[in-house]
Amino acid sequence: MADIIQLLPDHVANQIAAGEVVQRPASVVKELLENAIDAGATLIKLIIKDAGKTLVQVIDDGAGMSVTDARLCFERHATSKIKTAEDLFQLHTKGFRGEALASIAAIAHVELRTKTENAEVGTSIKIEGSQVISQEVVATPKGTSISVKNLFYNIPARRNFLKSNPVETRHVIDEFHRVALAHPSVSFVMLNNGAEVFHLPVSNLRQRIVHVFGGKTNEKLVPVQETTEILSITGFVLKPEYSKKSRGEQYFFVNDRFIKSGYLHHAVLSAFEGLLREGAQPGYFLYLEVDPKTIDINIHPTKTEVKFEDEHALYAMLRSTVKHSLGQFSVGPVLDFERDKNLDTPYDYQKRTPNMPQIEVDRNFNPFEADVPKQKNITFPFEREKTASWESLYSGLEKEHKIIFSDSETHLDTVEFESEPLTGFLFQAEETKSITFQLHNKYLLTPIKNAFLVIHQQLAHERILYEELLRTITVKEAISQQLLFPITLHFSIKEVILLKEYREQLEDTGFVFESFKKEIISISAIPVNVKDSQIKIILEQLISDLQNELPDAGYSQMDVMVKSLAKSLAIKTGVSLSKEQQEHLINSLFACKEPSVSPTNKPTFVTIPLSDLDKKF
Ligand code: ADP
Ligand code: MG
């Protein structure tokens, strides 16, 4: 048999390597930012267009490259950072594999401009799909600028695989945060589609965190500090009351490199034991310094996983240090003498006189209350003109004896519910033969033929709202209520960017946004039937859900958004409902397309056959 093995051409090998190094625009951001850090830059500018799909550019004022190096840096395994295998155990740089630029150049249009301090002129190189297109002498300042355009232009399958712009932008910002948080002594600027979204001056750690996450963060931080022979820990944890449902701000850095570690996370979690609400996630920014000899960062191509020599000792130390800090913080206020006063107020608000806070939380809010404005065609959030009548539930059952309500196998769509359009109030008590009971302000009980239903009021209402909202958005007939004074709400910069990405969909539900500033959004109208006191909670829940669910779940963004709104607006467990409200809820539930499950796939009701009861007597 003839020989069949051959070496892959370089550009093919590079493309394959790119599969490991570059998953998405954010991977390019990470590699370029880290190269700029390794080059000793003091100012780094990141420019993004279309979530990085069209352009990722990083400009630094670091060491720059000579003419030869500028050409060589795109070769595979070309690195200035290690020379021997031993160097791997003394790493003080981010990069060392010499793969990133070769990989990126294999799958994008790349332009490099670079100049070293002492060189008179710089070099410009254009390279596309590993092919050098041009090399020129240019006038350029000291440092390096690399722009990466049209990522995956030659691998359509990978390009199609990219998520929507909001999702990819979020990944980009995450990477930007990770590098910026690891290097407070470097100044960073980030531009997204032409607008400056971050401007982070050189600062201390605390100020850097506050600059990244917004002025309100300062008061949430509890300092953590410990030095032992094998490890030093500095950083902050968030006070337990600021824990979130989502894994929001959780950062470990080892020797200035962001890492992920379930094991260390568990150590922090256990330090918070007894201080967190159930299911809540602590926030932390923890910086570990260890001897580079005792870690192996070579186990993952993107280098976010690290193996420690003495994991158990690290775990114990981290746990006790965080515990100790948490124990101390309640003793006295946290003082930061280096604190930058400008951080407390957004730039454009500094000269204004403060307003009284406008947001109040009305914990007793009950959307069924009579003062809810009644309007025609309102479909947000739960009113509807035409819905099933209560009796239809029974009549359906009578005709179709075989239908048994069971939470797993209900096929209610075979029952005709949309029979009698009602006018005015959905329930006219005197006409209704139904009986409902509310149990523990949580469940609604109602007898049906040979059984009774136990309905979970909150989950049932979530289902109703979910379907209503989807309809509202699809037919674009949301009704807004104009606010007398626009509401301004504070969020972190990243959260504002996220909400802005959903502006259109949110406006389809009835919100009207006046402006999105750095950390402030201003809302001039809200969906009818929503109280302004609810808005902050609704949007916070939405942010948390969007961050949690995307990008991995297969749901569409719209779906995540609608689920989140339904969850926020639903009447909660603990709310007492009048008979009329109970009936309204049950009727609306069984007018839904899928009444038996909540939007998050929990059963909305269970059926208990009388025979089950009979057996007990
Ligand atoms: P690595 O970072 O693992 O060495 P890269 O492919 O990322 O591999 O970069 C290859 C080489 O190009 C680096 O080792 C460095 O010498 C040079 N280089 C890359 N980016 C820059 C930059 N922004 N400034 C100066 N030199 C750079
Ligand atoms: Mg690199």
Side-chain angles (χ1 to χ4, degrees):
M1 191 174 133
D3 298 338
I4 50 172
I5 297 178
Q6 37 180 306
L7 286 176
L8 287 175
D10 270 356
H11 70 275
V12 179
N14 285 339
Q15 256 197 29
I16 294 170
E20 282 200 335
V21 182
V22 186
Q23 276 101 38
R24 49 174 24 119
S27 328
V28 175
V29 168
K30 172 181 157 53
E31 295 297 338
L32 297 186
L33 289 178
E34 290 190 344
N35 279 346
I37 296 282
D38 285 344
T42 60
L43 169 64
I44 301 177
K45 194 168 174 180
L46 168 66
I47 300 170
I48 296 295
K49 289 217 172 92
D50 290 332
K53 293 173 186 171
T54 313
L55 172 74
V56 174
Q57 182 176 14
V58 170
I59 306 168
D60 70 55
D61 64 352
M65 284 180 261
S66 69
V67 186
T68 328
D69 284 353
R71 189 74 177 242
L72 254 184
C73 72
F74 293 108
E75 295 295 325
R76 211 141 60 95
H77 308 307
T79 180
S80 56
K81 298 170 193 174
I82 55 170
K83 292 194 172 63
T84 67
E86 282 74 54
D87 292 347
L88 272 176
F89 303 101
Q90 277 305 330
L91 269 185
H92 294 283
T93 52
K94 299 275 162 310
F96 56 84
R97 301 168 71 105
E99 270 181 336
L101 291 184
S103 301
I104 293 167
I107 48 163
H109 298 157
V110 176
E111 186 177 347
L112 163 76
R113 291 164 84 87
T114 187
K115 188 178 96 68
T116 55
E117 171 106 67
N118 299 324
E120 298 265 301
V121 285
T123 311
S124 154
I125 291 183
K126 281 191 188 150
I127 178 162
E128 295 181 359
S130 302
Q131 302 295 315
V132 178
I133 304 292
S134 69
Q135 173 162 359
E136 285 163 16
V137 170
V138 286
T140 182
K142 176 207 161 201
T144 303
S145 155
I146 301 190
S147 56
V148 176
K149 292 184 188 156
N150 310 322
L151 190 67
F152 298 133
Y153 79 98
N154 51 357
I155 319 181
R158 299 288 304 277
R159 197 169 168 90
N160 294 339
F161 187 71
L162 292 178
K163 299 270 161 80
S164 64
N165 283 2
V167 176
E168 295 298 344
T169 304
R170 219 189 78 214
H171 283 288
V172 166
I173 293 175
D174 281 345
E175 289 298 349
F176 177 77
H177 281 175
R178 290 167 181 178
V179 178
L181 288 169
H183 299 278
S185 57
V186 176
S187 172
F188 289 88
V189 174
M190 175 176 167
L191 274 82
N192 184 23
N193 292 329
E196 187 181 285
V197 284
F198 289 98
H199 189 127
L200 311 174
V202 174
S203 55
N204 67 17
L205 201 50
R206 185 179 200 118
Q207 291 162 343
R208 174 55 52 94
I209 294 170
V210 172
H211 275 126
V212 169
F213 293 104
K216 293 259 162 64
T217 318
N218 195 31
E219 66 212 45
K220 303 180 186 172
L221 300 175
V222 180
V224 175
Q225 175 86 54
E226 180 67 89
T227 309
T228 69
E229 266 178 25
I230 61 161
L231 166 74
S232 98
I233 307 173
T234 45
F236 300 89
V237 292
L238 294 185
K239 291 178 188 167
E241 65 261 39
Y242 297 108
S243 59
K244 289 186 176 170
K245 276 190 233 154
S246 60
R247 284 182 154 229
E249 285 109 36
Q250 298 182 338
Y251 295 88
F252 282 119
F253 301 91
V254 172
N255 298 353
D256 297 337
R257 182 193 299 280
F258 170 82
I259 62 140
K260 290 180 185 156
S261 165
Y263 190 65
L264 295 184
H265 171 74
H266 192 269
V268 177
L269 208 58
S270 68
F272 270 85
E273 209 171 84
L275 296 170
L276 298 177
R277 281 167 283 128
E278 209 192 301
Q281 289 282 342
Y284 51 82
F285 309 88
L286 293 167
Y287 296 71
L288 317 185
E289 287 290 331
V290 295
D291 185 336
K293 277 200 215 65
T294 66
I295 53 171
D296 179 3
I297 38 185
N298 208 4
I299 56 172
H300 195 273
T302 54
K303 300 176 292 258
T304 51
E305 278 161 34
V306 173
K307 235 168 111 73
F308 298 96
E309 202 174 80
D310 197 354
E311 268 190 340
H312 293 300
L314 282 176
Y315 184 101
M317 231 173 285
L318 188 60
R319 180 168 183 266
S320 73
T321 306
V322 171
K323 225 179 163 130
H324 180 70
S325 304
L326 284 169
Q328 282 198 318
F329 92 86
S330 49
V331 178
V334 183
L335 296 179
D336 178 19
F337 294 105
E338 291 180 82
R339 178 164 144 179
D340 175 355
K341 284 200 202 70
N342 294 336
L343 295 177
D344 295 340
T345 328
Y347 310 110
D348 45 349
Y349 266 56
Q350 277 169 24
K351 291 184 200 73
R352 304 197 192 170
T353 42
N355 289 333
M356 286 299 286
Q358 290 161 324
I359 305 303
E360 281 170 18
V361 180
D362 178 2
R363 300 216 179 269
N364 295 322
F365 172 71
N366 176 356
F368 281 100
E369 245 152 48
D371 69 345
V372 169
K374 287 216 172 300
Q375 290 188 30
K376 280 199 149 211
N377 282 328
I378 297 168
T379 54
F380 190 99
F382 53 79
E383 296 273 335
R384 45 194 294 165
E385 267 203 310
K386 172 172 166 277
T387 189
S389 76
W390 178 236
E391 288 99 311
S392 62
L393 180 58
Y394 295 96
S395 62
L397 278 170
E398 250 130 51
K399 274 183 244 143
E400 280 259 16
H401 280 287
K402 286 208 182 89
I403 294 177
I404 294 169
F405 287 90
S406 88
D407 46 342
S408 55
E409 282 184 34
T410 314
H411 300 290
L412 287 170
D413 19 352
T414 55
V415 184
E416 184 46 57
F417 287 123
E418 301 270 348
S419 48
E420 277 174 72
L422 292 180
T423 49
F425 275 104
L426 289 168
F427 283 90
Q428 272 129 359
E430 62 278 9
E431 280 180 25
T432 329
K433 290 180 232 91
S434 66
I435 309 163
T436 63
F437 304 96
Q438 192 182 22
L439 202 65
H440 297 306
N441 289 345
K442 183 173 185 183
Y443 298 108
L444 305 181
L445 302 189
T446 186
I448 57 169
K449 204 170 166 55
N450 294 330
F452 62 93
L453 302 182
V454 182
I455 298 161
H456 192 292
Q457 66 184 43
Q458 181 172 340
L459 293 174
H461 198 210
E462 279 180 26
R463 160 56 59 185
I464 297 164
L465 295 179
Y466 174 74
E467 294 199 5
E468 296 284 5
L469 277 164
L470 274 185
R471 204 169 313 144
T472 310
I473 291 176
T474 322
V475 299
K476 293 200 188 288
E477 60 175 28
I479 298 174
S480 303
Q481 46 176 328
Q482 196 68 32
L483 296 167
L484 216 49
F485 303 102
I487 302 180
T488 53
L489 297 173
H490 289 253
F491 291 98
S492 77
I493 298 171
K494 185 177 154 197
E495 289 168 342
V496 171
I497 295 171
L498 185 73
L499 284 177
K500 198 170 164 184
E501 300 279 2
Y502 288 89
R503 178 179 193 152
E504 203 180 310
Q505 285 105 319
L506 282 167
E507 295 200 326
D508 282 345
T509 70
F511 283 96
V512 178
F513 293 95
E514 204 176 57
S515 65
F516 287 82
K517 302 229 177 73
K518 267 198 167 142
E519 297 177 34
I520 299 170
I521 60 170
S522 165
I523 300 174
S524 56
I526 56 178
V528 76
N529 287 359
V530 172
K531 288 193 174 176
D532 49 3
S533 58
Q534 287 180 297
I535 296 300
K536 174 98 179 170
I537 299 171
I538 292 174
L539 294 180
E540 273 174 357
Q541 181 69 49
L542 179 65
I543 289 167
S544 153
D545 288 345
L546 289 171
Q547 290 186 334
N548 267 345
E549 296 253 7
L550 293 171
D552 305 312
Y555 304 113
S556 74
Q557 300 155 46
M558 178 80 91
D559 200 53
V560 175
M561 191 186 89
V562 171
K563 273 185 190 148
S564 173
L565 292 178
K567 191 160 70 188
S568 302
L569 291 169
I571 47 154
K572 302 291 181 301
T573 293
V575 176
S576 151
L577 301 178
S578 70
K579 285 278 173 219
E580 201 174 65
Q581 291 166 340
Q582 295 170 23
E583 289 170 1
H584 184 166
L585 187 97
I586 297 173
N587 248 0
S588 309
L589 176 67
F590 288 103
C592 285
K593 285 204 181 106
E594 276 190 60
S596 58
V597 287
S598 79
T600 45
N601 263 335
K602 293 186 189 132
T604 51
F605 65 87
V606 292
T607 311
I608 306 199
L610 285 186
S611 55
D612 277 12
L613 280 187
D614 292 342
K615 275 185 222 143
K616 299 201 186 291
F617 295 95

